[in-house]
Amino acid sequence: MYHCHLRFYLVGRQHGPLKQIKDAAPLPRFTHEFLESGEPEETLAAQADLILADLTEMDAAKTVRTLAAAKKPDASLIVIADREQIDRLTSQLSVIQDIWTAPLSPIELHFRFCRWQENCKQSRELWQARQYLEAAINSVPNLVWYKDKSGIHEMVNDSFCATVNKTKAQIQGRGHAYIWDVEFDDPACIESER
């Protein structure tokens, strides 16, 4: 089982809406820590797993640029902005995970935050399941592979890589002929895949 400690960085001049997030209970296997500031602080942004910035009463574009430059690569950036501010963020949409349109009712804020928590939990559980699968298939000496219906390798184990003398990155996304260094796909393999 995993345990996940999340750091939330709450940025904004209006602390009322963000206070409700601090009162939300963590999901099972999660703990929360909160960092806060009225203006964006790069050192706090660099520590966060989720940056939630209330852009109302702020220079939206400048704030997003500052936070995006400072955040960890895998951190989420969610902004609360009014409709006029959203129009000024078009050049920064690629760094924003979500935009919550202000004003938010307490119910909507709670709903959106809970939805983010559930998505985060699902992502962590998917990571855990993948770790279990990789550990299981890499612990056997036999060749293990998963292909899609077109015969393209999706996942292989370490024994498969050693046998064909290629890395997983070289194998995944490739077909039989490339992997086995032959000119054409084997008709028997094609038939068995069907």
Side-chain angles (χ1 to χ4, degrees), residues 47-126:
Q47 299 174 47
D49 300 299
L50 169 64
I51 301 169
L52 184 55
D54 185 347
L55 301 178
T56 57
E57 300 183 7
M58 299 178 88
D59 180 338
K62 181 181 176 186
T63 301
V64 169
R65 276 193 305 274
T66 301
L67 295 171
K71 76 178 191 69
K72 298 186 290 190
D74 59 340
S76 299
L77 173 59
I78 296 175
V79 299
I80 300 171
D82 60 40
R83 296 232 177 259
E84 295 78 32
Q85 289 176 310
I86 294 170
D87 292 338
R88 289 181 234 132
L89 295 174
T90 55
S91 65
Q92 285 126 354
L93 293 177
S94 63
V95 297
I96 299 172
Q97 182 183 23
D98 201 359
I99 299 174
W100 300 351
T101 307
L104 287 165
S105 71
I107 292 169
E108 185 179 5
L109 182 65
H110 177 75
F111 169 80
R112 288 184 175 276
F113 183 68
C114 288
R115 180 63 52 96
W116 182 88
Q117 283 183 295
E118 287 295 332
N119 287 337
C120 181
K121 182 177 185 234
Q122 186 178 33
S123 171
R124 297 311 196 271
E125 288 174 351
L126 179 62

Side-chain angles (χ1 to χ4, degrees), residues 5-18:
H5 181 75
L6 295 175
R7 284 192 182 94
F8 298 109
Y9 177 33
L10 309 177
V11 183
R13 295 179 182 156
Q14 297 184 26
H15 292 288
L18 298 178

